[in-house]
Amino acid sequence: MTIFPSALTLKDLQESDSADPLATVRDRFVLPEAGVYFCGNSLGPLPRATKGRVHEVLRQQWGQDLIRSWTRHDWIDMPLRMGDKIGRIIGALPGEVAVADSTSINLFKLLAAALRLRPGRNVLLAEEGTFPTDLYMMQGLVDLLGGSYEIRIVAREALLSGQAFDPDVALACLSHVQFRDGALHDVEAMTALARDAGALVLWDLAHSAGAMPLHLHRWKVDLAVGCGYKYLNGGPGAPAFLYVAKHLQQSLEQPLWGWLGHAEPFALEEAYRPADGIRRTLCGTPPILSLAALEAGCDLFLEVDLEQVGKKGRRLGHLFLQLVDETLEGLGIEVACPRETSLERQLRGSQVCLRHPDAFPIVQALIERGIAGDFRAPDVLRFGLSPLILRYADLWQAVASLREVLETRAWDQPHFHCRGAVT
Ligand SMILES: Cc1ncc(COP(=O)(O)O)c(C=O)c1O
């Protein structure tokens, strides 16, 4: 895939910025004055609208209207109203998405529900390199169920060839975009392959929702979860979302029987009866302030063309890799993410991943220079490409800084080797 056939110049990138239909969206965010932020896939930046939105909820709704806000401001339905907004971003039908809890908790709910939808099958598939929380939630569930289930961690090839899907497989829990190397699944094809084998796929959309157009309904996806604080820019610890296709909702039995998933929460009955539809996936009281912040993040997506968002993310990735190839040769860097050779087949999420044995101190030296990427153990430098905030010219600054850090070995200072609790 060639965008600029000769060596890239800063001018090429600046021209790409001038022609970028999303260029002005960046002004809708509060961003550090200097440097480049490549962690929008970890914690999205603060939309300018968020402060006013949250302040209004504080001032009027909580401050004045207090408990009446549950009805006056429809707090009670906010998880579903927000679900419908996110549904528009991920290509779901109204009533197929709820916003609640964390991604991990939603994984637990839907993993357990999926097993009940496939009685007689006792295998849960995961892919090598899956994000740990997906594995841990599977392990915790299997442990709770008393050991009659088995988790199989398989290579991508075994999934793609269909070999992994034997008649014992109840479900596969897969990341649309792999967090460490950015490899992207063809959701529609993989869901169909699993379906033909009688299994369900629970998709983790943490690294794709808000970064590219998704078409869950059209792709016939059954179950999915995703994060609110990454590309959706909902703020630290923003509530997560879950998706259940309409055709599964009435038979879906999730195990966390909280009162707000009850058919009539205020009937205060002793026995649990699940609500109809997606509401049965709810559990406890929704975090209204966090939902208000998430709403401001999601509203921005309803104003932009997600096709353009996806295209820009791919183009940023492609040009980043071109700069790496052209300027970092011989400096010990390897490309750790898939390369795309055509526009037809997307193989990589909105991120670039590089490998170096000293990735950790290199990332710290970059952060000190204002280039905020992240380190993923054991040896990956990860650069999230948020199409709403990044400029093409930012890539120049990032790769030039990386070159300087590598050439001068600036990373090899003791303080860059100290690891904190969060990397
Ligand atoms: C792929 C993936 N799934 C799930 C999570 C964790 O989600 P949560 O902290 O909301 O439980 C992350 C966090 O980075 C992730 O990358």
Side-chain angles (χ1 to χ4, degrees):
M1 194 170 111
T2 307
I3 298 178
F4 291 102
S6 50
L8 260 184
T9 63
L10 178 57
K11 192 160 163 279
D12 292 329
L13 297 170
Q14 286 165 338
E15 279 168 12
S16 293
D17 282 322
S18 307
D20 175 12
L22 297 172
T24 56
V25 184
R26 173 186 168 83
D27 302 333
R28 310 277 295 274
F29 289 90
V30 177
L31 289 168
E33 272 163 30
V36 188
Y37 191 64
F38 288 106
C39 295
N41 60 342
S42 222
L43 173 61
L46 170 65
R48 289 192 187 281
T50 305
K51 197 170 160 194
R53 188 79 57 92
V54 174
H55 185 252
E56 183 52 21
V57 175
L58 288 172
R59 192 192 62 79
Q60 182 64 40
Q61 301 186 9
W62 184 14
Q64 296 301 312
D65 299 339
L66 277 160
I67 203 159
R68 283 174 303 170
S69 293
W70 285 105
T71 46
R72 179 173 289 181
H73 301 290
D74 205 17
W75 283 357
I76 196 70
D77 279 333
M78 210 163 164
L80 305 192
R81 201 167 66 244
M82 275 304 303
D84 283 344
K85 281 198 176 174
I86 291 181
R88 288 165 62 190
I89 301 169
I90 63 172
L93 299 179
E96 286 188 323
V97 180
V99 175
D101 306 314
S102 63
T103 313
S104 304
I105 301 293
N106 289 335
L107 278 165
F108 186 83
K109 290 189 268 191
L110 294 192
L111 285 166
L115 289 182
R116 299 188 87 155
L117 288 167
R118 290 294 178 271
R121 291 173 174 244
N122 70 336
V123 172
L124 296 83
L125 290 182
E127 183 175 354
E128 285 172 358
T130 287
F131 190 74
T133 211
D134 301 51
L135 292 174
Y136 302 159
M137 297 317 287
M138 289 167 114
Q139 291 164 11
L141 177 63
V142 165
D143 186 61
L144 183 70
L145 294 175
S148 51
Y149 288 89
E150 179 195 336
I151 299 165
R152 280 188 204 152
I153 302 178
V154 297
R156 177 160 292 218
E157 298 73 54
L159 294 164
L160 296 178
S161 66
Q163 224 187 335
F165 289 93
D166 69 29
D168 292 331
V169 174
L171 81 122
C173 178
L174 304 175
S175 288
H176 183 194
V177 175
Q178 220 258 27
F179 80 103
R180 194 186 277 110
D181 68 10
L184 177 119
H185 268 292
D186 179 336
V187 171
E188 186 174 22
M190 182 53 66
T191 304
L193 192 151
R195 188 186 315 114
D196 292 346
L200 293 163
V201 183
L202 167 51
W203 286 103
D204 183 334
L205 307 175
H207 292 279
S208 59
M212 60 188 73
L214 303 177
H215 304 284
L216 265 57
H217 175 66
R218 198 204 303 156
W219 293 341
K220 299 190 165 52
V221 171
D222 291 310
L223 303 166
V225 296
C227 282
Y229 53 78
K230 297 180 186 286
Y231 290 103
L232 295 178
N233 307 316
F241 67 87
L242 60 76
Y243 157 97
V244 179
K246 275 262 178 330
H247 72 98
L248 289 179
Q249 289 182 0
Q250 280 315 100
S251 47
L252 188 101
E253 295 176 75
Q254 65 92 0
L256 301 185
W257 292 4
W259 71 308
L260 289 185
H262 191 277
E264 285 182 85
F266 289 91
L268 303 173
E269 294 169 5
E270 279 186 351
Y272 181 78
R273 281 188 295 127
D276 285 336
I278 195 74
R279 194 182 291 277
R280 67 178 52 189
T281 62
L282 301 182
C283 188
T285 304
I288 297 302
L289 296 177
S290 300
L291 281 165
L294 177 61
E295 185 162 32
C298 290
D299 279 353
L300 269 174
F301 285 95
L302 305 180
E303 294 177 34
V304 299
D305 177 351
L306 277 153
E307 291 293 331
Q308 282 176 355
V309 172
K311 267 193 203 145
K312 181 174 173 187
R314 291 181 72 186
R315 192 177 153 95
L316 282 165
H318 186 76
L319 295 175
F320 197 131
L321 291 176
Q322 187 174 347
L323 279 176
V324 167
D325 291 342
E326 288 172 359
T327 60
L328 301 184
E329 212 191 321
L331 293 173
I333 284 283
E334 250 179 68
V335 171
C337 54
R339 290 175 182 273
E340 291 182 350
T341 49
S342 80
L343 276 178
E344 278 69 57
R345 276 198 72 210
Q346 184 173 358
L347 302 175
R348 189 180 60 243
S350 209
Q351 67 190 59
V352 157
C353 309
L354 307 175
R355 186 169 286 127
H356 189 286
D358 295 297
F360 180 77
I362 293 170
V363 167
Q364 307 318 305
L366 284 175
I367 292 171
E368 197 179 73
R369 285 156 176 75
I371 308 297
D374 53 23
F375 163 75
R376 285 295 173 261
D379 57 1
V380 169
L381 298 89
R382 190 176 70 162
F383 299 89
L385 304 173
S386 292
L388 300 191
I389 57 160
L390 286 180
R391 296 169 296 206
Y392 291 99
D394 292 334
L395 305 178
W396 188 270
Q397 196 185 335
V399 180
S401 292
L402 181 53
R403 185 184 162 91
E404 180 259 317
V405 164
L406 292 168
E407 273 181 342
T408 60
R409 291 181 63 87
W411 53 267
D412 202 8
Q413 297 175 40
H415 67 289
F416 290 142
H417 291 264
C418 298
R419 296 198 186 195
V422 177
T423 64

